[in-house]
Amino acid sequence: MIEERLDHALANSNWMTTFPNAKLTNLIASHSDHSPILLSCDTVQNNGRRYHFHFENSWLKEEGIKDVVCDGWNFEEQAEVMKKISSCAENLEKWSKDIRSLANRLKPILDKCVSEEQSAFVEGRSIFHNAMTATEIIHTLKRKTQGRRAHLALKIDINIVGPIVPGRGLRQGDPLSPYLFILITEGLPTLIKGTVAKANVDEVTHLMKVLETYAKASGQEINLNKYEVFFSRNLSFPAQEDLANVMGVRHVLGTGKYLGLPSMIGRSKKATFTFIKDGIWERINYWKGRSLSKAGKEVMIKSVLQAILAYMMSIYIFLETMISEIEKMLNAFWWCGGSNRKGIRWMAWDKLACSKREGGLGFRDFRAFNMAMVAKQGWFLMNNMQALVSRFFKARYFPKTTFLDANLGYNPSFVWRSIWKAREVLTIGCRWSIGDEAEEILFVPLVEDVTEDSLVWKEEKDGQYNVRSGYRVWKSRKKCYTQENHEVNWQVCSAVDRKVVGRFAVMIETLWHNRNTFIWNNEKEVA
């Protein structure tokens, strides 16, 4: 059996002397096990800048790609192969940036083109605002037990099918794709705005016709199997079932999820959020069979387990018992994870959650993190009163006062309870910023506009709240145990008499030795 390699070159010493700067390069081959070689005899100048060009296979499906490559290749007729390839790469790079430039130009004006009902992919809006509004609507329908007029909430699901064929700018991962999607979806809220979703046959029939009109115009398909409808409680249950049958959708009691968040929080908060604890427990059990080092466990806890809670903690304040159970699970995984499921928890989670400078490991304090995350929604309600979600909550809970002066109210939703509780974080770090300097106020004419005072977050230079500084402010209220110990030890060890310091160190070492002897050998030493 003879093996041959075609991607090498052979030269003698005389040829190498004639071409001392020659360079042989192995090019990438996509349809062969041999690499083509390129020999360059000229001196290659290295400008110190590393440039990596990647050709996307999806470009081969685009119209005009051949013209782009031909223009780059024929840019200089007498040029070498490497220069021709570089020219083609530059043309392709400029050609691929056309879509990105369109997305960048569309991004700052997108909020003027998209209605306030849509929050995804729009700068200055958050997907949590839609979740907060939907949860508040479900709570309002749940509270409505009296009155002649009944209302409903419809959760829809639409699939992209029909005459629309994915082309340039519509493929997944393209920066322009989400913008085009929400612009097409803008037709749905425009049609629905003229429809009052009352729970009667005429309104329901008209609503379904509106959805069919949108589906035909946009080339999308209505998936009635995933539709869910929830009615207010002032409508009898048989009437609810009849209207659900007329619509051809599933009648639910509001216990499902919207955008991955529970749409209705009942009396048992623990039962509602049990799926989060179950998800963490499944991940831990999956890793228990593996032998992970302490560094590996630290990465798993910080990058995976803690991230599971971040999304849900953005608008809901978790129960104290649930946070304690999650912390016990993580603490057990840290000390006893792997094949050995039993062992001693040498330190509680609140000690591990201290920063490394204070003697901890930098794990997350979930109580402080939860408060800081929800406080971000309160900051938005306080500083963006013209937004839809802000107007919605203000009309319901504080119509005649400000957010900081608002009361909890009668029968509030769990979202408002959480935001109202997290308001404590904002009261600690917020300060009033005077519009003009005090000395200049007297010289400002009354007919001219004066800059209004505004609330700023004193922990940041730009005055804007963020979760990191909010977490730091709320956590600073509780002193770490290790820091207190350091202060006590420092007070003792700073004594002038060295004999006292030595006796104190011997006493600490003896106590630690006796403690370990009792734990591991069940023996007590008597002085």
Side-chain angles (χ1 to χ4, degrees), residues 424-444:
E424 300 178 26
V425 180
L426 300 178
T427 56
I428 297 175
C430 283
R431 296 293 183 270
W432 281 103
S433 175
I434 307 301
D436 291 330
E437 296 294 338
E439 298 179 355
E440 298 179 359
I441 293 179
L442 298 177
F443 299 97
V444 176

Side-chain angles (χ1 to χ4, degrees), residues 241-462:
E241 290 291 334
D242 292 340
L243 290 177
N245 293 331
V246 172
M247 300 173 67
V249 300
R250 186 160 54 99
H251 178 211
V252 297
L253 301 178
T255 56
K257 294 182 181 180
Y258 177 69
L259 298 177
L261 300 169
S263 60
M264 187 176 70
I265 311 297
R267 292 184 178 181
S268 179
K269 311 296 188 298
K270 186 176 182 180
T272 303
F273 296 103
T274 302
F275 70 95
I276 302 177
K277 190 175 67 173
D278 294 341
I280 296 176
W281 182 249
E282 289 178 1
R283 289 294 184 95
I284 292 178
N285 286 335
Y286 178 73
W287 293 332
K288 275 186 176 180
R290 304 183 180 185
S291 57
L292 296 176
S293 62
K294 286 296 182 182
K297 291 181 182 179
E298 182 180 0
V299 173
M300 290 298 181
I301 292 175
K302 291 183 177 180
S303 302
V304 181
L305 297 180
Q306 293 183 160
I308 296 176
L309 301 170
Y311 183 73
M312 200 68 59
M313 283 185 171
S314 298
I315 63 175
Y316 296 125
I317 294 292
F318 282 21
L319 296 178
E320 184 71 20
T321 55
M322 184 174 181
I323 293 180
S324 299
E325 292 176 358
I326 293 175
E327 289 178 348
K328 290 178 181 179
M329 291 165 55
L330 299 183
N331 196 27
F333 172 71
W334 171 254
W335 293 110
C336 316
S339 57
N340 181 20
R341 301 192 178 187
K342 296 182 180 180
I344 300 175
R345 281 71 164 172
W346 293 102
M347 189 176 291
W349 183 262
D350 57 345
K351 312 301 186 301
L352 298 177
C354 295
S355 63
K356 294 183 177 180
R357 184 181 59 183
E358 297 173 339
L361 291 175
F363 291 141
R364 187 169 289 168
D365 186 340
F366 292 111
R367 295 170 182 84
F369 179 74
N370 198 181
M371 292 286 286
M373 290 288 285
V374 180
K376 186 176 182 180
Q377 311 304 330
W379 176 265
F380 183 87
L381 297 180
M382 186 171 56
N383 292 275
N384 299 272
M385 295 306 301
Q386 300 302 322
L388 176 63
V389 63
S390 301
R391 301 200 313 268
F392 195 91
F393 275 83
K394 181 175 178 59
R396 171 68 176 86
Y397 296 106
F398 52 101
K400 298 181 180 180
T401 183
T402 61
F403 171 74
L404 293 178
D405 298 329
N407 297 322
L408 183 60
Y410 172 73
N411 194 9
S413 65
F414 189 65
V415 175
W416 173 247
R417 286 180 182 272
S418 301
I419 297 176
W420 188 80
K421 183 178 180 181
R423 188 181 55 174
E424 300 178 26
V425 180
L426 300 178
T427 56
I428 297 175
C430 283
R431 296 293 183 270
W432 281 103
S433 175
I434 307 301
D436 291 330
E437 296 294 338
E439 298 179 355
E440 298 179 359
I441 293 179
L442 298 177
F443 299 97
V444 176
L446 297 179
V447 295
E448 295 185 3
D449 295 334
V450 180
T451 306
E452 295 182 358
D453 300 343
S454 60
L455 281 170
V456 296
W457 182 251
K458 68 181 183 65
E459 300 296 328
E460 297 294 333
K461 294 182 179 180
D462 58 355

Side-chain angles (χ1 to χ4, degrees), residues 44-50:
V44 179
Q45 298 292 337
N46 187 7
N47 56 7
R49 183 181 63 182
R50 299 181 64 183

Side-chain angles (χ1 to χ4, degrees), residues 4 67 73 89 120 127 136 160 171 207 212 219 226 229 236 265 293 354 362 376 411 413 418-419 493 522:
E4 296 182 358
D67 297 334
W73 187 266
I127 195 66
E136 195 66 31
I160 301 178
R171 291 192 177 93
L207 178 60
E212 291 178 2
K226 295 184 178 181
V229 62
S236 63
I265 311 297
S293 62
C354 295
K376 186 176 182 180
N411 194 9
S413 65
S418 301
I419 297 176
C493 295
N522 197 19

Side-chain angles (χ1 to χ4, degrees), residues 152 154 200-201 204-205 208 212 224 227-231 235-252:
L152 62 89
L154 180 64
N200 55 59
V201 177
V204 164
T205 304
M208 299 306 294
E212 291 178 2
L224 295 178
Y227 273 37
E228 296 179 353
V229 62
F230 177 74
F231 297 93
L235 186 65
S236 63
F237 187 79
Q240 295 181 16
E241 290 291 334
D242 292 340
L243 290 177
N245 293 331
V246 172
M247 300 173 67
V249 300
R250 186 160 54 99
H251 178 211
V252 297

Side-chain angles (χ1 to χ4, degrees), residues 119 124-134 377 380 387 389 393:
S119 298
R125 306 180 191 177
S126 174
I127 195 66
F128 294 113
H129 301 161
N130 279 357
M132 292 165 58
T133 304
Q377 311 304 330
F380 183 87
V389 63
F393 275 83

